[in-house]
Short mmCIF file of all heavy atoms in Angstrom, two decimals:
data_model
loop_
_atom_site.label_atom_id
_atom_site.label_comp_id
_atom_site.label_asym_id
_atom_site.label_seq_id
_atom_site.Cartn_x
_atom_site.Cartn_y
_atom_site.Cartn_z
N LYS A 21 0.86 -1.15 -0.02
CA LYS A 21 0.01 0.02 0.01
C LYS A 21 0.89 1.21 0.00
O LYS A 21 1.77 1.36 0.79
CB LYS A 21 -0.91 -0.03 1.17
CG LYS A 21 -1.89 -1.16 1.23
CD LYS A 21 -2.81 -1.06 2.50
CE LYS A 21 -3.77 -2.23 2.53
NZ LYS A 21 -4.62 -2.35 1.38
N TYR A 22 0.58 2.16 -0.93
CA TYR A 22 1.31 3.48 -1.03
C TYR A 22 0.23 4.55 -0.87
O TYR A 22 -0.72 4.65 -1.66
CB TYR A 22 1.99 3.51 -2.38
CG TYR A 22 3.04 2.48 -2.68
CD1 TYR A 22 2.70 1.25 -3.26
CD2 TYR A 22 4.27 2.60 -2.14
CE1 TYR A 22 3.65 0.27 -3.39
CE2 TYR A 22 5.24 1.59 -2.30
CZ TYR A 22 4.88 0.44 -2.99
OH TYR A 22 5.81 -0.55 -3.18
N ILE A 23 0.37 5.23 0.19
CA ILE A 23 -0.62 6.18 0.59
C ILE A 23 -0.03 7.62 0.70
O ILE A 23 0.99 7.74 1.42
CB ILE A 23 -1.31 5.78 1.99
CG1 ILE A 23 -1.93 4.40 1.85
CG2 ILE A 23 -2.27 6.86 2.41
CD1 ILE A 23 -2.27 3.76 3.18
N ASN A 24 -0.58 8.61 0.08
CA ASN A 24 -0.20 9.95 0.23
C ASN A 24 -1.28 10.67 1.02
O ASN A 24 -2.48 10.49 0.63
CB ASN A 24 -0.04 10.69 -1.15
CG ASN A 24 1.13 10.12 -1.99
OD1 ASN A 24 2.19 9.97 -1.40
ND2 ASN A 24 0.95 9.85 -3.19
N THR A 25 -0.90 11.40 1.99
CA THR A 25 -1.91 12.08 2.83
C THR A 25 -1.23 13.33 3.51
O THR A 25 -0.10 13.40 3.73
CB THR A 25 -2.34 11.11 4.04
OG1 THR A 25 -3.22 11.73 4.82
CG2 THR A 25 -1.19 10.52 4.85
N SER A 26 -2.18 14.34 3.76
CA SER A 26 -1.65 15.47 4.41
C SER A 26 -1.64 15.26 5.96
O SER A 26 -0.90 15.98 6.70
CB SER A 26 -2.49 16.68 4.11
OG SER A 26 -3.85 16.48 4.53
N ALA A 27 -2.29 14.29 6.43
CA ALA A 27 -2.22 13.97 7.90
C ALA A 27 -0.92 13.29 8.25
O ALA A 27 -0.49 12.42 7.50
CB ALA A 27 -3.48 13.12 8.27
N ILE A 28 -0.39 13.66 9.39
CA ILE A 28 0.81 13.12 9.88
C ILE A 28 0.69 11.61 10.23
O ILE A 28 1.60 10.78 10.08
CB ILE A 28 1.36 13.92 11.03
CG1 ILE A 28 1.81 15.28 10.59
CG2 ILE A 28 2.59 13.20 11.64
CD1 ILE A 28 2.22 16.25 11.71
N GLU A 29 -0.54 11.31 10.63
CA GLU A 29 -0.86 9.81 10.98
C GLU A 29 -2.08 9.48 10.17
O GLU A 29 -3.01 10.38 10.02
CB GLU A 29 -1.11 9.66 12.46
CG GLU A 29 0.06 9.90 13.33
CD GLU A 29 -0.19 9.62 14.80
OE1 GLU A 29 -1.34 9.90 15.22
OE2 GLU A 29 0.69 9.23 15.52
N ASN A 30 -2.21 8.17 9.79
CA ASN A 30 -3.37 7.78 9.03
C ASN A 30 -3.72 6.30 9.48
O ASN A 30 -2.85 5.45 9.53
CB ASN A 30 -2.95 7.77 7.50
CG ASN A 30 -4.10 7.68 6.65
OD1 ASN A 30 -5.23 8.21 6.96
ND2 ASN A 30 -3.88 7.17 5.45
N LEU A 31 -5.04 6.12 9.63
CA LEU A 31 -5.49 4.75 9.85
C LEU A 31 -5.52 3.96 8.58
O LEU A 31 -6.12 4.43 7.60
CB LEU A 31 -6.92 4.86 10.44
CG LEU A 31 -7.57 3.49 10.73
CD1 LEU A 31 -6.81 2.78 11.83
CD2 LEU A 31 -9.09 3.64 11.16
N VAL A 32 -4.82 2.88 8.61
CA VAL A 32 -4.75 1.98 7.46
C VAL A 32 -5.37 0.65 7.83
O VAL A 32 -5.05 0.09 8.88
CB VAL A 32 -3.32 1.77 7.05
CG1 VAL A 32 -3.20 0.83 5.78
CG2 VAL A 32 -2.67 3.14 6.67
N LYS A 33 -6.24 0.17 6.97
CA LYS A 33 -6.93 -1.16 7.17
C LYS A 33 -6.51 -2.11 6.03
O LYS A 33 -6.20 -1.63 4.94
CB LYS A 33 -8.39 -0.97 7.15
CG LYS A 33 -8.92 -0.18 8.24
CD LYS A 33 -10.42 0.07 8.19
CE LYS A 33 -10.97 0.94 9.31
NZ LYS A 33 -12.46 1.02 9.38
N TRP A 34 -6.50 -3.41 6.34
CA TRP A 34 -6.15 -4.40 5.31
C TRP A 34 -6.94 -5.65 5.66
O TRP A 34 -7.49 -5.80 6.79
CB TRP A 34 -4.68 -4.64 5.27
CG TRP A 34 -4.02 -5.09 6.61
CD1 TRP A 34 -3.94 -6.43 7.07
CD2 TRP A 34 -3.49 -4.41 7.63
NE1 TRP A 34 -3.38 -6.50 8.31
CE2 TRP A 34 -3.06 -5.21 8.68
CE3 TRP A 34 -3.34 -2.97 7.81
CZ2 TRP A 34 -2.50 -4.72 9.88
CZ3 TRP A 34 -2.74 -2.51 8.98
CH2 TRP A 34 -2.35 -3.37 9.97
N GLN A 35 -6.94 -6.51 4.68
CA GLN A 35 -7.64 -7.81 4.82
C GLN A 35 -6.71 -8.81 5.45
O GLN A 35 -5.52 -8.98 5.07
CB GLN A 35 -8.14 -8.31 3.45
CG GLN A 35 -9.10 -9.42 3.49
CD GLN A 35 -9.67 -9.70 2.19
OE1 GLN A 35 -9.37 -9.14 1.13
NE2 GLN A 35 -10.67 -10.62 2.18
N ILE A 36 -7.23 -9.52 6.41
CA ILE A 36 -6.42 -10.56 7.08
C ILE A 36 -6.35 -11.75 6.10
O ILE A 36 -7.46 -12.27 5.63
CB ILE A 36 -7.05 -11.05 8.42
CG1 ILE A 36 -7.01 -9.82 9.38
CG2 ILE A 36 -6.27 -12.24 9.02
CD1 ILE A 36 -7.72 -10.08 10.69
N PRO A 37 -5.16 -12.26 5.84
CA PRO A 37 -5.06 -13.46 5.02
C PRO A 37 -5.56 -14.66 5.68
O PRO A 37 -5.63 -14.83 6.94
CB PRO A 37 -3.57 -13.57 4.68
CG PRO A 37 -2.92 -12.95 5.81
CD PRO A 37 -3.85 -11.85 6.36
N THR A 38 -6.11 -15.64 4.82
CA THR A 38 -6.55 -16.90 5.39
C THR A 38 -5.58 -18.06 5.00
O THR A 38 -5.11 -18.05 3.85
CB THR A 38 -7.94 -17.30 4.92
OG1 THR A 38 -7.95 -17.23 3.49
CG2 THR A 38 -8.96 -16.25 5.43
N PHE A 39 -5.23 -18.87 5.99
CA PHE A 39 -4.35 -19.97 5.73
C PHE A 39 -5.10 -21.27 6.00
O PHE A 39 -5.86 -21.40 6.96
CB PHE A 39 -3.17 -19.90 6.66
CG PHE A 39 -2.37 -18.71 6.49
CD1 PHE A 39 -2.55 -17.60 7.29
CD2 PHE A 39 -1.28 -18.72 5.60
CE1 PHE A 39 -1.73 -16.39 7.13
CE2 PHE A 39 -0.46 -17.56 5.44
CZ PHE A 39 -0.71 -16.39 6.24
N THR A 40 -4.95 -22.27 5.16
CA THR A 40 -5.61 -23.52 5.33
C THR A 40 -4.63 -24.66 4.98
O THR A 40 -3.75 -24.47 4.16
CB THR A 40 -6.90 -23.71 4.37
OG1 THR A 40 -6.48 -23.44 3.11
CG2 THR A 40 -7.99 -22.74 4.84
N ASP A 41 -4.73 -25.78 5.65
CA ASP A 41 -3.90 -26.92 5.30
C ASP A 41 -4.74 -27.94 4.56
O ASP A 41 -5.99 -28.20 4.91
CB ASP A 41 -3.48 -27.56 6.65
CG ASP A 41 -2.64 -28.78 6.40
OD1 ASP A 41 -1.53 -28.56 5.90
OD2 ASP A 41 -3.19 -29.90 6.57
N PRO A 42 -4.32 -28.41 3.42
CA PRO A 42 -5.12 -29.28 2.63
C PRO A 42 -5.50 -30.58 3.33
O PRO A 42 -6.51 -31.23 2.95
CB PRO A 42 -4.22 -29.63 1.39
CG PRO A 42 -2.86 -29.16 1.73
CD PRO A 42 -2.96 -28.17 2.79
N HIS A 43 -4.84 -30.92 4.34
CA HIS A 43 -5.10 -32.18 5.15
C HIS A 43 -5.80 -31.83 6.43
O HIS A 43 -5.91 -32.70 7.32
CB HIS A 43 -3.83 -33.00 5.39
CG HIS A 43 -3.23 -33.37 4.08
ND1 HIS A 43 -3.67 -34.17 3.12
CD2 HIS A 43 -2.00 -32.85 3.59
CE1 HIS A 43 -2.83 -34.33 2.12
NE2 HIS A 43 -1.75 -33.47 2.36
N ASN A 44 -6.23 -30.61 6.62
CA ASN A 44 -6.93 -30.12 7.77
C ASN A 44 -6.12 -30.27 9.10
O ASN A 44 -6.74 -30.39 10.19
CB ASN A 44 -8.32 -30.87 7.92
CG ASN A 44 -9.26 -30.42 6.84
OD1 ASN A 44 -9.21 -29.25 6.40
ND2 ASN A 44 -10.05 -31.35 6.29
N PHE A 45 -4.82 -30.23 9.01
CA PHE A 45 -4.02 -30.18 10.24
C PHE A 45 -4.09 -28.82 10.83
O PHE A 45 -4.38 -27.76 10.06
CB PHE A 45 -2.56 -30.53 9.94
CG PHE A 45 -2.31 -32.01 9.67
CD1 PHE A 45 -2.14 -32.45 8.44
CD2 PHE A 45 -2.31 -32.86 10.77
CE1 PHE A 45 -1.92 -33.86 8.17
CE2 PHE A 45 -2.03 -34.24 10.57
CZ PHE A 45 -1.90 -34.75 9.29
N ALA A 46 -3.80 -28.66 12.14
CA ALA A 46 -3.89 -27.41 12.80
C ALA A 46 -2.72 -26.47 12.28
O ALA A 46 -1.69 -26.93 11.89
CB ALA A 46 -3.78 -27.64 14.33
N ILE A 47 -3.11 -25.24 12.25
CA ILE A 47 -2.11 -24.20 11.83
C ILE A 47 -2.04 -23.09 12.84
O ILE A 47 -3.06 -22.67 13.38
CB ILE A 47 -2.58 -23.58 10.43
CG1 ILE A 47 -2.61 -24.59 9.34
CG2 ILE A 47 -1.70 -22.41 10.06
CD1 ILE A 47 -3.26 -24.11 8.00
N LYS A 48 -0.83 -22.65 13.17
CA LYS A 48 -0.61 -21.57 14.08
C LYS A 48 -0.23 -20.28 13.32
O LYS A 48 0.78 -20.36 12.54
CB LYS A 48 0.37 -21.86 15.10
CG LYS A 48 0.57 -20.77 16.09
CD LYS A 48 1.57 -21.13 17.18
CE LYS A 48 1.66 -19.87 18.06
NZ LYS A 48 2.58 -19.96 19.11
N VAL A 49 -1.03 -19.21 13.37
CA VAL A 49 -0.75 -17.96 12.60
C VAL A 49 -0.21 -16.94 13.62
O VAL A 49 -0.79 -16.64 14.69
CB VAL A 49 -2.04 -17.50 11.94
CG1 VAL A 49 -1.73 -16.12 11.17
CG2 VAL A 49 -2.52 -18.53 10.96
N THR A 50 0.98 -16.32 13.28
CA THR A 50 1.44 -15.23 14.09
C THR A 50 1.50 -13.92 13.11
O THR A 50 1.63 -14.06 11.90
CB THR A 50 2.84 -15.51 14.57
OG1 THR A 50 3.69 -15.78 13.51
CG2 THR A 50 2.77 -16.72 15.53
N THR A 51 1.48 -12.81 13.81
CA THR A 51 1.54 -11.57 13.00
C THR A 51 2.21 -10.55 13.87
O THR A 51 2.25 -10.61 15.09
CB THR A 51 0.10 -11.07 12.60
OG1 THR A 51 0.21 -9.90 11.87
CG2 THR A 51 -0.73 -10.83 13.87
N ASN A 52 2.70 -9.45 13.26
CA ASN A 52 3.28 -8.43 13.97
C ASN A 52 2.35 -7.24 14.31
O ASN A 52 2.69 -6.34 15.01
CB ASN A 52 4.62 -7.86 13.21
CG ASN A 52 4.29 -7.30 11.93
OD1 ASN A 52 3.24 -7.62 11.27
ND2 ASN A 52 5.20 -6.52 11.34
N TYR A 53 1.12 -7.33 13.85
CA TYR A 53 0.03 -6.45 14.21
C TYR A 53 -1.22 -7.23 14.60
O TYR A 53 -1.64 -8.03 13.88
CB TYR A 53 -0.31 -5.51 13.02
CG TYR A 53 0.79 -4.46 12.72
CD1 TYR A 53 1.79 -4.69 11.80
CD2 TYR A 53 0.86 -3.21 13.36
CE1 TYR A 53 2.81 -3.82 11.53
CE2 TYR A 53 1.82 -2.35 13.15
CZ TYR A 53 2.78 -2.66 12.22
OH TYR A 53 3.81 -1.76 11.98
N PRO A 54 -1.66 -7.05 15.82
CA PRO A 54 -2.66 -7.90 16.43
C PRO A 54 -4.08 -7.64 15.79
O PRO A 54 -4.93 -8.45 15.83
CB PRO A 54 -2.74 -7.58 17.92
CG PRO A 54 -2.10 -6.16 17.99
CD PRO A 54 -1.13 -6.13 16.89
N SER A 55 -4.20 -6.54 15.07
CA SER A 55 -5.50 -6.19 14.38
C SER A 55 -5.23 -5.95 12.88
O SER A 55 -4.05 -5.76 12.44
CB SER A 55 -6.09 -4.96 15.08
OG SER A 55 -7.16 -4.54 14.34
N ASN A 56 -6.30 -5.90 12.12
CA ASN A 56 -6.03 -5.63 10.70
C ASN A 56 -6.19 -4.12 10.37
O ASN A 56 -6.51 -3.78 9.25
CB ASN A 56 -7.03 -6.46 9.87
CG ASN A 56 -8.44 -6.04 10.05
OD1 ASN A 56 -8.88 -5.73 11.20
ND2 ASN A 56 -9.25 -6.06 9.00
N GLU A 57 -5.96 -3.28 11.40
CA GLU A 57 -5.84 -1.92 11.17
C GLU A 57 -4.92 -1.22 12.16
O GLU A 57 -4.66 -1.82 13.25
CB GLU A 57 -7.28 -1.18 11.31
CG GLU A 57 -7.82 -1.34 12.65
CD GLU A 57 -9.23 -0.74 12.63
OE1 GLU A 57 -10.00 -0.90 11.74
OE2 GLU A 57 -9.51 -0.03 13.68
N PHE A 58 -4.26 -0.19 11.77
CA PHE A 58 -3.31 0.49 12.69
C PHE A 58 -3.19 1.91 12.22
O PHE A 58 -3.22 2.21 10.94
CB PHE A 58 -1.94 -0.27 12.57
CG PHE A 58 -1.09 0.18 13.68
CD1 PHE A 58 -1.09 -0.28 15.01
CD2 PHE A 58 0.02 1.13 13.41
CE1 PHE A 58 -0.26 0.17 15.99
CE2 PHE A 58 0.88 1.56 14.31
CZ PHE A 58 0.74 1.13 15.68
N THR A 59 -2.95 2.87 13.13
CA THR A 59 -2.68 4.22 12.78
C THR A 59 -1.21 4.39 12.65
O THR A 59 -0.42 4.39 13.58
CB THR A 59 -3.24 5.18 13.80
OG1 THR A 59 -4.69 4.92 13.91
CG2 THR A 59 -3.03 6.64 13.51
N PHE A 60 -0.73 4.62 11.41
CA PHE A 60 0.65 4.79 11.09
C PHE A 60 1.08 6.23 10.94
O PHE A 60 0.32 6.94 10.28
CB PHE A 60 1.03 4.01 9.78
CG PHE A 60 0.92 2.53 9.90
CD1 PHE A 60 -0.24 1.85 9.43
CD2 PHE A 60 1.92 1.70 10.37
CE1 PHE A 60 -0.39 0.52 9.44
CE2 PHE A 60 1.81 0.28 10.32
CZ PHE A 60 0.68 -0.27 9.92
#
């Protein structure tokens, strides 16, 4: 995402990716942002 804005901070939202295992084994997902939005 490339965003031009006059505001020094901007709320950015994104779609959370979905991960699936073809054999239905458990998957553990980690991320560096706990929500799918953040004020950058």
